[in-house]
Amino acid sequence: MIFTDLTQEHSVAAAPVPGGMLATALAQLEAAFDRLGLEEGLRAIMRQPERELTVSIPIRRDEGDIAVFTGYRVQHSSARGPCKGGIRFHPGVDMDEVRALAMLMTLKCAVANLPFGGAKGGVAVDPAQLSEPELERLTRRYAAMILPLLGGKRDIPAPDVNTSERTMAWLADTISMLEGHWVTEITTGKPIALGGSLGRAEATGRGVAVATVEMLRRQGRDPNGLRVAVQGFGNVGQHAARILANEYGCVIVAVSDVSGGLYNPKGLDLAAIAHHVRNNPKRLLAGYGADGHAEPLTNAELLTLDVDVLIPAALEDQITIHNADRIQARAIVEGANGPTTFEADQILHDRGIIVVPDILANAGGVIVSYFEWVQDLQAFFWGMDEVRSQLGKAMRRAFDEVWSLAQARRLDLRSAAYLLGVERVADAIQMRGLFP
Amino acid sequence: MTIKDLVRQSVVTHNAAQVLHLEEVAETIRDDALAQARKKIGALRRGANLAGLLERPDFLDYFKYGLASGVANVLAANDQNVQAVYVYDPALDAGSEAGEDPPRDVGVHLLVWVTTPSAALEALIASLDRALAASLKDLPAPGFRQRESILDVNLLSDDDMRRGVNYAGLLKGLFAPPLPVWRRA
């Protein structure tokens, strides 16, 4: 099959680069193209979104006047299945950002071998400036306007920045009203009572823990007793630390959040810390350890601790050219999105530090999102044990596939993950052929 | 009197003699934020008791944004070097598609871009934090009762902004973009 790239217009690769993860993703995408020897036409297909929709969203403000917002929905690829991706409300949303995020979703779903393509949506709005009824009207009007793209077999939204399960409930209700019946599989991230899945809160953290253990076992190391530092004690870091300690015997020697960090070389009492955080007015680590159970340390110090595994599970761009040469961990598992900059990644690779990339390590969330869709389609809902068991299987399979490819092709895990994702999408495009 | 009236009326200083004034500012920030949050939620719930409202994630989010907005106004009025203020959620796990409301963190996380960081600004932030925390003690919500501090403020220098390093990196991030609260015209 011969593909010819006739246009570079709207190319994701040509879009501005707003963040570290996107720069890394685009570089990895191009590198994967080269490694696979993909013909130019296939590259062109994958660089560009399949479909883009810009909508103008008028709403009636509470005071009676009309405000108009701009919304987007981008479907990057449906080659492997229905498009999947969140919807965000933020004043900085624009088409380039949505395109980039849609492409990343295509690759993330492909690496996890989920039968999904990638999509993303957003509305350029500051949600803090709108009242709750205005936000509901905005969500419902946006849902109606992008409805031609949506469907449980076409494109399935989910929550993202400044959207929540409440937003998804409004969206699902709007579409159900227009369809004339309750369409539960139209979105994921819904409230449990409306067809949401159990296990979402810990999904990303559990996936990070499984990826960590799989990486250690491939190295012939028993996770029991190995020292782990976790940056970020939010949803991802807290669950990852708890599961690694309780289920695999790892010793969590350091954790941190925005208020600072805690260190104990003999291991931290995670239950006591979690209790402190739950009962601390700011829900932060600050104030814990005054009785000598832990020493304080900064986020910067945590990143350079001498540990077996470092899990950055907080914010983007934490491991940079400024600290990569001081990282002492033998391995890094990226719980956050884009914690390592492109330049730092090169330094870590040169130093022989194994990095389990975000696109693989934090896929637990989107995997459970897929489980929600499956349960909705079957109208048969799983218990927590089933969700955990299936998530473990999916993460272990994904890790094994990436690891095996890395070994076979002598690649680092990030390059292997992107190669696997790109290859799966390219294979699907080639097998399906071009219509008409 | 609203917070805008207060900051228009006088620049708040943070020496001991002005502690009472700072307490008044904090109480005004709190009252403005509560009023704004009540206005933002649906009319049917506006009459609900405050304890019930503070358990609702949507009301709490509006309230915290109101606090952030009030603090931003005070900082900007007191220090001409303050260029912009952003609010962000350090627990945000965007991209996970989880959709589950994270644990309710009552802290207000701010990024303050300041051309010339100063000890005076940091002292003002610390004093305002104490005053604000004290003003929130009587709210009927367990999260506020035992607090000693409510503000988590990270100052961003011009150099941070130019190089996109430290917390300034968040501003160009794809996954947890902060919301702008205030910008110098």
Side-chain angles (χ1 to χ4, degrees), chain A residues 117-271:
Chain A
K120 210 74 174 188
V123 179
V125 59
D126 182 347
Q129 304 305 320
L130 298 189
S131 70
E132 187 186 41
E134 288 169 341
L135 275 177
E136 180 175 352
R137 291 197 286 276
L138 178 79
T139 303
R140 290 182 181 278
R141 179 75 184 212
Y142 171 68
M145 298 199 72
I146 65 169
L147 180 59
L149 302 191
L150 302 185
K153 300 288 179 65
R154 288 200 295 265
D155 184 346
I156 306 132
D160 198 272
V161 175
N162 297 322
T163 54
S164 64
E165 59 177 27
R166 179 188 55 165
T167 319
M168 293 304 109
W170 289 335
L171 194 143
D173 180 69
T174 302
I175 291 163
S176 297
M177 290 299 101
L178 295 170
E179 296 280 330
H181 60 97
W182 176 234
V183 193
T184 186
E185 72 276 12
I186 191 70
T187 175
T188 62
K190 298 180 297 294
I192 301 289
L194 297 180
S197 179
L198 296 173
R200 289 200 313 252
E202 68 167 33
T204 307
R206 180 166 289 278
V208 168
V210 172
T212 304
V213 170
E214 290 301 301
M215 180 265 301
L216 292 169
R217 287 180 175 157
R218 294 303 192 291
Q219 295 178 309
R221 305 168 80 189
D222 181 352
N224 188 34
L226 292 188
R227 294 160 305 142
V228 178
V230 182
Q231 187 203 35
F233 208 62
N235 272 2
V236 180
Q238 191 169 161
H239 288 299
R242 173 181 58 80
I243 292 163
L244 281 170
N246 295 350
E247 298 182 22
Y248 298 102
C250 292
V251 178
I252 310 299
V253 297
V255 296
S256 69
D257 62 18
V258 291
S259 67
L262 302 168
Y263 175 65
N264 185 335
K266 293 178 181 172
L268 295 165
D269 183 344
L270 292 176

Side-chain angles (χ1 to χ4, degrees), chain A residues 83-136:
Chain A
C83 298
K84 187 84 189 74
I87 288 169
R88 56 176 52 189
F89 290 170
H90 191 274
V93 166
D94 61 22
M95 183 57 96
D96 282 337
E97 178 182 283
V98 177
R99 279 182 194 133
L101 290 163
M103 183 195 74
L104 287 169
M105 280 302 294
T106 297
L107 295 175
K108 193 170 199 170
C109 291
V111 171
N113 208 12
L114 303 180
F116 285 145
K120 210 74 174 188
V123 179
V125 59
D126 182 347
Q129 304 305 320
L130 298 189
S131 70
E132 187 186 41
E134 288 169 341
L135 275 177
E136 180 175 352

Side-chain angles (χ1 to χ4, degrees), chain A residues 1 15 21 29 55 57 64 68 83 106 152 155 179 194 214 251 254 261 328 331 351 368 370 378 398 401 425 433:
Chain A
M1 203 180 326
M21 185 179 184
L29 185 72
V55 294
I57 313 163
V68 182
C83 298
T106 297
D155 184 346
E179 296 280 330
L194 297 180
E214 290 301 301
V251 178
Q328 297 188 71
R351 294 183 58 213
V368 171
Y370 161 63
Q378 297 180 335
E401 288 165 343
V425 178

Side-chain angles (χ1 to χ4, degrees), chain A residues 18 21 84 88 90 128-132 159 165-166 200-201 204 235 281-283 316-317 322 337 365 369, chain B residues 40 42 45 58 62 65 93-94 96-100 103-106 143 146-147 149 151 163 172 174-175 178:
Chain A
M21 185 179 184
K84 187 84 189 74
R88 56 176 52 189
H90 191 274
Q129 304 305 320
L130 298 189
S131 70
E132 187 186 41
E165 59 177 27
R166 179 188 55 165
R200 289 200 313 252
T204 307
N235 272 2
K282 288 178 74 173
R283 303 266 186 187
E316 294 172 66
D317 294 346
H322 303 293
N337 285 303
S369 201
Chain B
K40 290 280 175 62
R45 283 201 294 274
D58 47 359
Y62 281 128
Y65 184 86
D93 181 23
S96 74
E97 305 213 327
E100 200 148 314
R104 291 288 96 194
D105 166 16
V106 301
Q146 298 167 341
R147 76 218 168 280
S149 164
L151 299 179
R163 294 164 58 209
K172 66 178 177 63
L174 273 177
F175 288 93

Side-chain angles (χ1 to χ4, degrees), chain A residues 346-359:
Chain A
Q346 302 297 312
I347 295 170
L348 297 174
H349 181 254
D350 292 345
R351 294 183 58 213
I353 297 171
I354 291 181
V355 178
V356 182
D358 47 12
I359 198 170

Side-chain angles (χ1 to χ4, degrees), chain A residues 234-401:
Chain A
N235 272 2
V236 180
Q238 191 169 161
H239 288 299
R242 173 181 58 80
I243 292 163
L244 281 170
N246 295 350
E247 298 182 22
Y248 298 102
C250 292
V251 178
I252 310 299
V253 297
V255 296
S256 69
D257 62 18
V258 291
S259 67
L262 302 168
Y263 175 65
N264 185 335
K266 293 178 181 172
L268 295 165
D269 183 344
L270 292 176
I273 294 172
H275 181 264
H276 168 82
V277 170
R278 270 197 307 276
N279 293 288
N280 176 309
K282 288 178 74 173
R283 303 266 186 187
L284 294 173
L285 296 169
Y288 180 85
D291 53 359
H293 287 316
E295 302 167 26
L297 85 170
T298 65
N299 267 293
E301 289 167 341
L302 180 142
L303 291 174
T304 56
L305 281 177
D306 181 9
V307 290
D308 295 292
V309 181
L310 170 64
I311 300 178
L315 303 168
E316 294 172 66
D317 294 346
Q318 295 298 298
I319 302 173
T320 68
I321 198 166
H322 303 293
N323 60 9
D325 58 345
R326 287 183 282 118
I327 301 284
Q328 297 188 71
R330 316 303 178 264
I332 294 172
V333 181
E334 295 183 333
N337 285 303
T340 311
T341 65
F342 181 70
E343 298 82 6
D345 204 35
Q346 302 297 312
I347 295 170
L348 297 174
H349 181 254
D350 292 345
R351 294 183 58 213
I353 297 171
I354 291 181
V355 178
V356 182
D358 47 12
I359 198 170
L360 169 64
N362 70 18
V366 74
I367 289 172
V368 171
S369 201
Y370 161 63
F371 293 163
E372 178 176 337
W373 179 72
V374 168
Q375 293 169 76
D376 287 339
L377 285 174
Q378 297 180 335
F380 180 78
F381 292 91
W382 306 351
M384 183 66 102
D385 287 347
E386 181 70 5
V387 173
R388 286 175 173 164
S389 167
Q390 293 292 346
L391 174 59
K393 284 181 193 169
M395 282 299 300
R396 279 190 286 275
R397 188 173 57 236
F399 187 93
D400 182 59
E401 288 165 343

Side-chain angles (χ1 to χ4, degrees), chain B residues 29-40:
Chain B
I29 290 174
R30 177 201 61 197
D31 294 344
D32 277 4
L34 284 173
Q36 283 175 33
R38 275 193 190 276
K39 194 177 164 195
K40 290 280 175 62

